[in-house]
């Protein structure tokens, strides 16, 4: 049995606010939507989406991410979220309907996209920092005639330097969008 909470957030997140804002815009979530947060990590995307949709399925293969998200959900009080621990492909295959999906992890990405295609998901947003992940996402989405576009997001933040301020760049992020028309 898995218990909550953890002392520190899981590695690999959370999704930066600026990237999250663009991803949410591209998802265009509606009140009737059933949403999947695949690779939910810290739960930030799940908590942002929960008040906007009918239901959220938050899933992660990493126990620490699942546990962290469980604790964040407990604190938030959202009753329309189902956390899932395990392989996303298996979890998705057990679901009947997903309208929109955010993929924040890259493990088994091709298989995840294949399962999302079988579920005829209307909108998929995938974030990637690795070129290999970008390539897998584009080629798999194209295989199912689901590829829409790639947006490269480069964010810089101000930081003090020598009595003034400079802009320090964060890692660039690819936002890949697709879905069934």
């Amino acid at each position: 049995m898995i218990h909550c909470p953890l002392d520190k957030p899981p590695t690999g997140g959370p999704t930066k606010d600026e990237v999250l804002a663009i991803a949410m815009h591209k998802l265009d979530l509606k009140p009737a939507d059933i949403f999947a947060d695949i690779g939910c990590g810290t739960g930030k995307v799940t908590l942002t989406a929960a008040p906007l949709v009918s239901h959220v399925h938050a899933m992660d293969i990493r126990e620490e991410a699942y546990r962290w998200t469980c604790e964040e959900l407990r604190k938030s009080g959202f009753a329309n979220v189902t956390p899932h621990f395990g392989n996303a492909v298996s979890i998705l295959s057990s679901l009947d309907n997903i309208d929109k999906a955010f993929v924040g992890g890259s493990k088994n990405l091709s298989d995840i996209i294949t399962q999302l295609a079988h579920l005829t998901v209307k909108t998929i947003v995938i974030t990637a920092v690795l070129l290999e992940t970008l390539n897998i996402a584009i080629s798999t989405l194209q295989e199912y005639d689901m590829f829409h576009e790639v947006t490269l997001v480069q964010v810089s933040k101000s930081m003090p330097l020598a009595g003034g301020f400079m802009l320090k760049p964060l890692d660039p992020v690819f936002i890949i969008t697709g879905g069934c028309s």
Side-chain angles (χ1 to χ4, degrees):
M1 182 171 195
I2 297 169
H3 296 82
C4 295
L6 285 177
D7 295 331
K8 60 182 180 171
T11 59
T15 301
K16 302 290 184 264
D17 291 339
E18 297 80 4
V19 172
L20 179 59
I22 294 167
M24 294 301 287
H25 174 75
K26 291 188 176 295
L27 283 163
D28 190 28
L29 298 174
K30 305 289 185 207
D33 286 340
I34 298 173
F35 175 69
D37 181 4
I38 303 164
C40 62
T42 64
K44 187 173 183 177
V45 174
T46 293
L47 294 172
T48 302
L52 305 174
V53 299
S54 170
H55 195 80
V56 176
H57 291 280
M59 54 195 82
D60 209 298
I61 197 165
R62 299 171 301 145
E63 182 179 350
E64 67 275 12
Y66 169 80
R67 290 172 55 198
W68 187 270
T69 298
C70 284
E71 181 61 16
E72 293 300 304
L73 289 169
R74 185 192 64 75
K75 290 189 254 180
S76 74
F78 288 120
N80 65 332
V81 179
T82 303
H84 300 271
F85 171 60
N87 181 295
V89 176
S90 298
I91 295 164
L92 289 168
S93 68
S94 72
L95 302 175
D96 294 327
N97 182 36
I98 298 291
D99 298 302
K100 310 227 175 126
F102 175 85
V103 184
S106 59
K107 189 171 183 111
N108 302 317
L109 181 58
S110 182
D111 293 335
I112 289 168
I113 293 170
T114 298
Q115 192 60 46
L116 294 172
H118 290 138
L119 287 166
T120 62
V121 174
K122 295 175 201 147
T123 305
I124 302 167
V125 172
I126 303 164
T127 57
V129 295
L130 298 174
L131 293 172
E132 292 79 5
T133 305
L134 173 67
N135 182 49
I136 291 167
I138 291 172
S139 61
T140 309
L141 287 168
Q142 285 176 324
E143 183 180 331
Y144 292 99
D145 196 28
M146 295 172 61
F147 175 73
H148 294 167
E149 70 176 3
V150 173
T151 304
L152 174 63
V153 178
Q154 176 62 65
V155 176
S156 297
K157 296 221 177 193
S158 62
M159 64 174 283
L161 177 69
F165 289 92
M166 69 171 279
L167 289 174
K168 182 174 182 178
L170 303 176
D171 291 333
V173 177
F174 298 101
I175 300 177
I176 306 108
T177 57
C180 296
S181 300

